[in-house]
Each structure stands twice: as structure tokens, then as C-alpha cells.
Amino acid sequence: MGPSHVLLFALVVQGAPAAEDPLEVALTAFEPSPGAFRAGYGWTPKLPRRALRATVGDDVLVFFDLDGDKRLTAGEDGFALEGIPFVVPLPEVLLLPRGQCTLAFAGRLQELVLTREALELDPELVQDAARLTRLRLRSALPPLVLDEQASADARAHCDYMILNGLDARMGLLVHRQEPGKPGYSAAGRDAGLRGNVGFMGHYANDLWCWWSMAFHAATMLDPGLESFGAGQRDGAAVFLPARRGRFAAAVETPYVRPPDGAIDVPLYFSPAQEIPNPAPGTNGGFGCGFPLFVRLPARLHAAELMRFELLGPDGKPVPAFVSTPHEPASPELAGNKGCAFLVPKRPLQRRQRYDVVFRMQGMKTELTWSFTTAAN
């Protein structure tokens, strides 16, 4: 649904339970396979040969003592998930399916201690929202944490949509509120305008759909974001960008999606129609391949595109829809989210390497990177 077609909200539950006793998980030292991990976006640490891991539910958390001081310090050491190649700065708080937890380490790095925060949010929504942790890491970006106030604002827009019968058939109208109508609020109106809105019926499904779109993915994959609001009610969902921090300054190094070295990249565009349409002449991108984008420094927003090509396994350019801030895909999104987008006209081939070449006027050299697609 609209430029930020995500309804991410946290359902407020009166009398939500207090945080449970800390969960203590054993840390085990291991030596990752060569090339299994690489630095994520925005930093260039030298990864040590050995790491620590802990199993929490279905996730295997991996930690890197980057400075070798036998401690793990938030913002200074590294964090990853097994099966995803990117290492990002270690967070203080991590959103997991079991809840949003503070991280601590005990017994000379023998134990990971997870203390669940007492969020006034529906536990099922928190569990679903945790899917974003994995999606951000697959995108070489640090995970986000849930913000309760932003979630309340996102929920407010969900309430408005349900009370006024707004659904996916109404296009960009789902982002707007009118004073005087049932459920109207200034905070909810702002959430609708700035957030992603979706109607997939299950918050985890909405996250996947937004992530595999173009414009909506750019909202979720802003490197400057640190937190978000999640809202959901009766099948309507909202993702609301909240606090900005570590990479909030103007991007000088373009961020690319999929990132260099990404694996298991999906083959298809989102199963949901994207509005505005990043692929003119299609049904909101339906039937296309997984979209690429480059988040541009402000100095390049007015520049002309010189080359943006996705090279297939045969080395030939893949037919695609390409747009930039200078030549946006849709008049409804004039700034093109500050990004250059490439949407393949057909699904990508499975288990193949693709190479990307990108250059805009004003860039001294071409930007090149590669990724590998998933099995299905």
C-alpha cells in the first residue's frame, strides 16, 4: 500500500506481565569456516578467527570479541546470526521471538544472560515483529528494537483504518486520516503518513512482503534507524520508523540491497502489490524479480544515472525497471525515497550468482558487488 505501506503496531495489553527471570544460555567457542562472515554496512572490523555462539530457541547467536579483551561490549564488538554472513555492532538490546531482551555476559564469557523487557505490547505481536531482526541482518544492517510509544502511534492508525473500513483495495488512501472521522488522532495520522501499511493478516507476513518490495523495503532498511513501532489490528498492520542514531548522518557511502556477499537472496518480488508502483506497466511489481536498490548520498539525488545493471549468470544484463530520484518510477513518490531502484522484469534464477554495476554522474568510479540467490 503506499510509499511506506506497512502497518506495524504493538497491541497494548493492560496489565502486561513483568519481565521473566533472566534466561542463562551457555556460550561455546568455535572457529567459523573461512569466509562464513563479513562486516556489515558502515564499519570495517577485522574479524577474529574464533567466535562464541549460543542457541536461543531456533536462533544461533554469534558473538565476536573484536579487540581481544575477553569481554563483549555493545557497540564495540560484533554480533551475527548463524546462517547469515553479516557481522554488525553488538546491540545492548535484542528483539527475539521470546521477547525484547537486554544482553549480558557472565562467567568470563561462559554464559549469555537474556533479560526480557516488560513491554506493554501483545506478546504475539512482539514475537512476529522479531522477524525484522533476521531481515535486517540479511540486509547487512544492525537490528532494531521496538519503541512502545511509536507502537502506540502505529496501533492508532490501525484502529483508524479498521473503524473506517480502509483496506488494500484503497491504495494510498490507507495512509491518510481525516479529522472528525472515527479514530482520528494527530499521532495516528503521522504514523499513517510515515509508516508502511499492510494487510497480510499476520504481522510476520507483512514484514516479509514489505522487505521484498522496493519503496517499502527502503523504509525498513534505513541504516540510520535504531527503533520502530509495530501496530496491528484485525489484519491491518503498520511499521513506523522511530529513533535514529548510529548511521543517522547523511549517507556518504551508498548502501546497497542486496548487500555484497549476500546469500539466499529471494527470487521474486513481494506477493503483495506495491503502491506506488516501482515497475510501471505491472500490477505493482507482481511477477517481477527481487528488487535491488542503492540508497544515495544527498549530493547525488539530482544526478543523472549513468549505469545500473544487474548481470545474470551468463554475464548479460537482466531486463529491468530502473528509477532514480532524478527520474522517479512514480509521480506519487517524487523523491524515489532517495534511492535508485532496479526491479528485474522476471524472477531471478535459483542458486545463481548475480553481479551488479552502478554509477551516477558525479561518482568517480563504478560501484560493483555480487550476491547469490536462494534455492527456491
Side-chain angles (χ1 to χ4, degrees), residues 211-218 257-258 266-270 272 274 276-294 305 308-310 317-324 328-330 336 339-348 354 356 358 369 371:
W211 183 71
S212 51
M213 290 178 175
F215 302 136
H216 293 77
R257 196 287 287 265
L267 312 180
Y268 300 93
F269 195 89
S270 173
E274 182 163 28
N277 187 356
T282 71
N283 185 20
F286 186 78
C288 292
F290 189 74
L292 288 67
F293 70 83
V294 180
L305 182 67
F308 194 2
E309 290 182 337
L310 175 64
V318 172
F321 302 95
V322 176
S323 62
T324 68
S330 170
N336 224 50
C339 299
F341 292 95
L342 185 151
V343 181
K345 293 185 176 181
R346 297 181 183 84
L348 303 180
Y354 284 81
V356 190
F358 178 83
W369 71 99
F371 61 87

Side-chain angles (χ1 to χ4, degrees), residues 171-248:
L172 290 176
L173 290 177
V174 300
H175 286 276
R176 299 167 188 159
Q177 292 194 16
E178 293 184 29
K181 286 196 171 183
Y184 172 84
S185 67
R189 183 177 75 93
D190 178 69
L193 291 173
R194 295 196 303 111
N196 288 347
V197 174
F199 299 92
M200 296 303 293
H202 199 281
Y203 198 72
N205 293 341
D206 281 298
L207 285 173
W208 175 264
C209 286
W210 295 323
W211 183 71
S212 51
M213 290 178 175
F215 302 136
H216 293 77
T219 298
M220 294 169 58
L221 301 180
D222 178 352
L225 271 186
E226 289 189 343
S227 66
F228 71 106
Q232 186 169 14
R233 177 183 171 183
D234 298 338
V238 170
F239 169 91
L240 179 61
R243 187 181 68 246
R244 296 171 61 78
R246 181 181 176 90
F247 299 122

Side-chain angles (χ1 to χ4, degrees), residues 6-351:
V6 176
L7 256 126
L8 187 63
F9 166 75
L11 186 65
V12 176
V13 178
Q14 299 298 326
E20 296 181 359
D21 291 335
L23 173 68
E24 299 177 353
V25 185
L27 285 166
T28 304
F30 76 108
E31 191 168 313
S33 302
F37 293 100
R38 60 172 61 198
Y41 173 79
W43 71 330
T44 55
K46 182 179 180 180
L47 301 182
R49 292 178 56 188
R50 295 180 64 79
L52 297 165
R53 61 185 166 197
T55 300
V56 181
D58 294 332
D59 293 316
V60 178
L61 282 54
V62 181
F63 304 95
F64 293 86
D65 179 9
L66 298 178
D67 56 10
D69 65 355
K70 303 191 185 318
R71 296 185 300 174
L72 290 173
T73 305
E76 297 179 10
D77 290 308
F79 168 73
L81 287 175
E82 195 165 80
I84 299 175
F86 301 108
V87 179
V88 300
L90 176 65
E92 294 181 7
V93 179
L94 184 62
L95 179 58
L96 295 167
R98 76 178 307 270
Q100 187 156 283
C101 304
T102 58
L103 303 183
F105 302 91
R108 295 185 180 180
L109 297 185
Q110 294 176 330
E111 278 187 338
L112 166 66
V113 182
L114 298 168
T115 304
R116 192 182 318 200
E117 293 185 344
L119 298 177
E120 298 256 333
L121 304 174
D122 179 2
E124 184 176 345
L125 177 61
V126 173
Q127 181 178 7
D128 285 350
R131 187 174 195 179
L132 184 57
T133 295
R134 181 168 288 273
L135 295 178
R136 290 269 301 188
L137 283 165
R138 287 181 66 175
S139 307
L141 294 174
L144 305 181
V145 296
L146 278 167
D147 181 285
E148 288 185 284
Q149 183 57 58
S151 294
D153 295 344
R155 170 58 188 246
H157 188 60
C158 292
D159 291 342
Y160 178 90
M161 289 191 291
I162 296 303
L163 291 171
N164 291 279
L166 299 180
D167 60 30
R169 296 170 297 179
M170 298 179 179
L172 290 176
L173 290 177
V174 300
H175 286 276
R176 299 167 188 159
Q177 292 194 16
E178 293 184 29
K181 286 196 171 183
Y184 172 84
S185 67
R189 183 177 75 93
D190 178 69
L193 291 173
R194 295 196 303 111
N196 288 347
V197 174
F199 299 92
M200 296 303 293
H202 199 281
Y203 198 72
N205 293 341
D206 281 298
L207 285 173
W208 175 264
C209 286
W210 295 323
W211 183 71
S212 51
M213 290 178 175
F215 302 136
H216 293 77
T219 298
M220 294 169 58
L221 301 180
D222 178 352
L225 271 186
E226 289 189 343
S227 66
F228 71 106
Q232 186 169 14
R233 177 183 171 183
D234 298 338
V238 170
F239 169 91
L240 179 61
R243 187 181 68 246
R244 296 171 61 78
R246 181 181 176 90
F247 299 122
V251 178
E252 287 304 321
T253 301
Y255 167 75
V256 302
R257 196 287 287 265
D260 187 32
I263 59 175
D264 295 327
V265 172
L267 312 180
Y268 300 93
F269 195 89
S270 173
Q273 176 188 20
E274 182 163 28
I275 304 172
N277 187 356
T282 71
N283 185 20
F286 186 78
C288 292
F290 189 74
L292 288 67
F293 70 83
V294 180
R295 187 178 296 276
L296 300 167
R299 61 184 173 81
L300 294 178
H301 285 187
E304 293 187 11
L305 182 67
M306 300 180 68
R307 188 181 183 189
F308 194 2
E309 290 182 337
L310 175 64
L311 306 179
D314 59 1
K316 297 179 181 179
V318 172
F321 302 95
V322 176
S323 62
T324 68
H326 182 69
E327 297 184 44
S330 170
E332 296 168 319
L333 201 59
N336 224 50
K337 287 282 186 180
C339 299
F341 292 95
L342 185 151
V343 181
K345 293 185 176 181
R346 297 181 183 84
L348 303 180
Q349 298 178 45
R350 61 186 63 192
R351 292 180 174 171

